[in-house]
Amino acid sequence: MPREEVMKWLRTRFFPHIWCPGCGHGVIMHALLRSLTALDKKPEETVIASGIGCSSRMPGYINACTVHTTHGRSLGFATGIKLAKPELTVIDVMGDGDCTAIGGNHFIHAARRNLDITTVIFNNNIYGMTGGQYSPLTPMASKATTAPFGHIERPFDIAALAIAAGATYVARGTAFHAQLLTDLIVKGIESKGFSVIDAITQCPISYGRKNKMGSAADMLAWQRDSAVPAQAVAKMKPEDLQGKFVIGELYRTTAPEYTAEYDKLIARVYKKGGKEN
Amino acid sequence: MPKIAFWQGNMGIAMGAIAAGCRFFGGYPITPSTEIAEAMAEELPRLGGKFIQMEDEIAGIAAAIGASIAGVKSMTATSGPGFSLKQENLGLAYMAEIPLVVVDVMRGGPSTGLPTKISQQDVMQARWGSHGDHGTIAYAPSSVQECYEITVEAFNMAERFRQPVLIMNDEVLGHMREKVIVPEDDTLVLVDRKRPTVSPDEFVPYRADEQDDIPPMAGMGDGYRWHVTGLTHNDWGFPTNNAAEIEKKMLRLMRKIDRFRDDIVKYDTESVKDADVLVLSYGSVARTALSAVRMARKKGIKVGHFRPVTLWPFPDKELELIASRAKTILVPELNCGQMVLEVERVVGKERVVRQNLVNGELFKPAEILSKIEEVA
């Protein structure tokens, strides 16, 4: 059972949740809620936005200000909310397809603006809700219902994409490394700017089963065995990183944050009554 | 003292929005609506409001809806191609009952069509463009003065009914300059959304008040916690597959507009009392048509004019009454026949004559006059 302060953030009236047995999304939700309680955030001052998909159903279960929007567009809505009320803490949760396929344009531009929003991308390499179609994160040669003969597209590297687009905090965690993930989300929220947390999670039903990855426990073991801590990368040869992924804090920088810049602009041009030039 | 201004229609809309209390604009450049975005970019920060040019049309309306969810009156503006792109998020605003004003400055279509030329080809899209059933409030102004006044009213209706309200402007009126009498801000009647009166713990976000079928709306950050979703939802705002809950929500969405239809519908008339020929037109076309009607009157033809100001809800019972004695109802439109379908629904096909133009031009008064003479 989650701790009492975490339970306070849940809308248990809406349970049972829709996620399949073995899905990693609940673990990520728990990590998010632990990070919000660790930061002493108030639910009525916390906005959690999402798009469409399995992960995007998560805000419904959280007793905060929650906004379940259209597929791929949640960052557009979150941008409006954050600009209208910069004092709110804004989290945006998305699936890998939601964020990088249909929502790719909004993702790179939110990163470029460096709006103070923390995105948690539930990356399970597949479109789960529609039953297992390939996403921009599906690895080459994987099977999906729309790649029955093996996938021939190259996947995105979400972290590299986010860094190139201008995000100022980028990290990767997994459902297996739940404590690390909590810490990364805490740091992402604390970082004043656009933060991206690539949260690797398992979809045993729509991805694992088709790709013979075993049970949910086997997939969690795969996360454990494939993850390389960011601190260890420097000492490793490139061939040792073959088939692995790096977890932990991947990038951090400082850049002007959009709502702060907007406030400066207003301070510069604000006129009482606003009509005179 | 009221101020005298010399504005183009797009400026009239922008200034009307400011006067109505709009403090957020999310948009994307598109001809022939861009002047609205430019005016908002200049005016809003001076008032402490926010303008943002988003990465595309879809994000423009998304940001505007987001700001409204956070409690700020907001608007977006576009033209045909952008209006198409905005339809999905427009649907979310209908479903989640988020106040919003959306302007479409109509140009010729389909597709990229005629970016700098007038049309009235989007008026059915205004009603049916977003998938699924919902009530629609859409205005068609026909002077710059009306652009200003209608925009204030559009915000009031959006706030009152908790839904998007559309302003169907057109390229000619958008870019045409004329005199506007700008009332003092404190003489305007402004409506704000109904806020919850219960404590946050007792707040049921989509429980509508019986007297108006509209649930009070909290702004995010105002101490209330609630869930917004485009999924069909129950009173708690939570997705439902329960037939009774689905029906309750859907019927209320329609009813909240239908019940107050008389408060929304606007139209005006000229010389209709003894008219044998009734000309029905809207937007920029109404200006030409009125000239033609006045010219025909001078020639002794008994002709009048009916102008729907709300295209949706369509002033059907008003038209039915006014058209009852007319032998012919002439409907000039800059499309291949769209609002005429509503006219035919109301008065029957037999008496209705269509006049359509889709070459990117506005009718000339003489063209409508000769049609009046032909049918009189």
Side-chain angles (χ1 to χ4, degrees), chain A residues 11 13-14 60 63 65-66 68 70 73 76-77 80-81 83 85 105-106 109 113 258 262 265 270-271 273 277, chain B residues 45-48 50-51 53 55-56 58 62-63 66 70 89 220 222 225-231 236 238:
Chain A
R11 291 181 176 130
R13 78 163 69 233
F14 299 149
N63 197 8
C65 303
T66 53
H68 176 222
T70 47
R73 318 301 179 193
F77 292 86
I81 294 169
L83 262 181
K85 294 237 176 97
N105 197 27
H106 312 305
H109 287 280
R113 288 188 194 100
Y258 189 80
Y262 216 113
L265 184 151
Y270 186 80
K271 296 269 168 67
N277 277 300
Chain B
R46 290 181 178 162
L47 295 161
K50 306 257 171 87
F51 162 91
Q53 182 177 313
E55 54 274 14
D56 60 28
I58 297 169
N89 281 342
M220 286 195 172
D222 291 348
R225 292 174 278 180
W226 53 295
H227 185 54
V228 171
T229 180
L231 284 164
W236 287 98
F238 200 71

Side-chain angles (χ1 to χ4, degrees), chain A residues 2-253:
Chain A
R3 294 195 303 260
E4 195 188 332
E5 61 265 34
V6 168
M7 289 300 290
K8 276 193 204 149
W9 279 76
L10 289 172
R11 291 181 176 130
T12 48
R13 78 163 69 233
F14 299 149
F15 284 173
H17 60 69
I18 60 152
W19 297 317
C20 305
C23 174
H25 286 6
V27 176
I28 297 173
M29 176 165 82
H30 197 174
L32 172 61
L33 296 182
R34 276 199 309 261
S35 62
L36 290 167
T37 56
L39 290 164
D40 224 7
K41 293 289 180 187
K42 294 192 179 77
E44 60 274 17
E45 293 165 6
T46 303
V47 172
I48 303 174
S50 70
I52 295 293
C54 298
S55 57
S56 290
R57 294 297 287 269
M58 193 196 79
Y61 306 123
I62 299 180
N63 197 8
C65 303
T66 53
V67 191
H68 176 222
T69 69
T70 47
H71 198 19
R73 318 301 179 193
S74 57
L75 279 167
F77 292 86
T79 297
I81 294 169
K82 183 70 185 177
L83 262 181
K85 294 237 176 97
E87 65 275 20
L88 297 175
T89 298
V90 180
I91 314 286
D92 199 309
V93 298
M94 295 178 272
D96 45 295
D98 193 49
C99 173
T100 66
I102 189 164
N105 197 27
H106 312 305
F107 180 64
I108 58 174
H109 287 280
R112 177 179 61 80
R113 288 188 194 100
N114 197 33
L115 203 61
D116 186 22
I117 292 174
T118 300
T119 63
V120 181
I121 300 157
F122 291 51
N123 177 3
N124 59 7
N125 313 104
I126 203 80
Y127 285 89
M129 184 161 272
T130 44
Q133 297 75 37
Y134 64 79
S135 85
L137 269 298
T138 301
M140 284 186 86
S142 286
K143 295 244 170 82
T145 60
T146 46
F149 310 113
H151 194 40
I152 58 169
E153 292 178 20
R154 295 187 304 159
F156 265 135
D157 176 338
I158 291 176
L161 176 67
I163 294 165
T168 45
Y169 179 87
V170 180
R172 184 181 291 120
T174 78
F176 178 83
H177 303 85
Q179 192 52 55
L180 171 72
L181 185 62
T182 307
D183 295 343
L184 295 173
I185 298 172
V186 165
K187 290 192 182 113
I189 296 170
E190 282 177 332
S191 171
K192 184 90 177 145
F194 193 71
S195 302
V196 175
I197 289 101
D198 178 11
I200 292 175
T201 170
Q202 72 279 6
C203 178
I205 304 296
S206 290
Y207 184 75
R209 200 160 50 177
K210 236 185 169 58
N211 288 286
K212 306 203 168 18
M213 293 186 76
S215 67
D218 293 330
M219 292 181 82
L220 283 162
W222 174 85
Q223 290 170 20
R224 178 193 65 202
D225 298 338
S226 309
V228 176
Q231 312 88 289
V233 175
K235 295 178 206 142
M236 291 174 71
K237 295 185 209 114
E239 54 267 33
D240 296 338
L241 283 167
Q242 213 47 265
K244 309 267 185 189
F245 56 82
V246 183
I247 58 168
E249 190 176 303
L250 305 179
Y251 183 75
R252 179 199 280 273
T253 189

Side-chain angles (χ1 to χ4, degrees), chain B residues 18-140:
Chain B
I18 298 284
C22 173
R23 291 296 177 268
F24 189 93
F25 184 97
Y28 190 78
I30 185 167
T31 304
S33 83
T34 308
E35 295 82 7
I36 300 173
E38 289 172 338
M40 296 305 269
E42 183 147 352
E43 295 298 323
L44 282 173
R46 290 181 178 162
L47 295 161
K50 306 257 171 87
F51 162 91
I52 187 167
Q53 182 177 313
M54 293 297 282
E55 54 274 14
D56 60 28
E57 294 277 2
I58 297 169
I61 186 172
I65 296 169
S68 183
I69 289 170
V72 176
K73 289 186 185 178
S74 69
M75 179 167 87
T76 188
T78 188
S79 185
F83 195 49
S84 295
L85 285 165
K86 291 183 192 300
Q87 294 297 328
E88 186 196 10
N89 281 342
L90 193 57
L92 179 118
Y94 283 119
M95 180 60 105
E97 302 183 65
I98 312 298
L100 178 73
V101 172
V102 178
V103 184
D104 175 9
V105 187
M106 290 183 284
R107 66 194 226 187
S111 188
T112 313
L114 300 163
T116 61
K117 298 275 190 182
I118 187 175
S119 93
Q120 296 178 320
Q121 293 177 34
D122 302 349
V123 293
M124 277 292 168
Q125 189 184 14
R127 179 67 189 91
W128 304 111
S130 193
H131 61 277
D133 278 329
H134 54 81
T136 301
I137 303 175
Y139 295 95

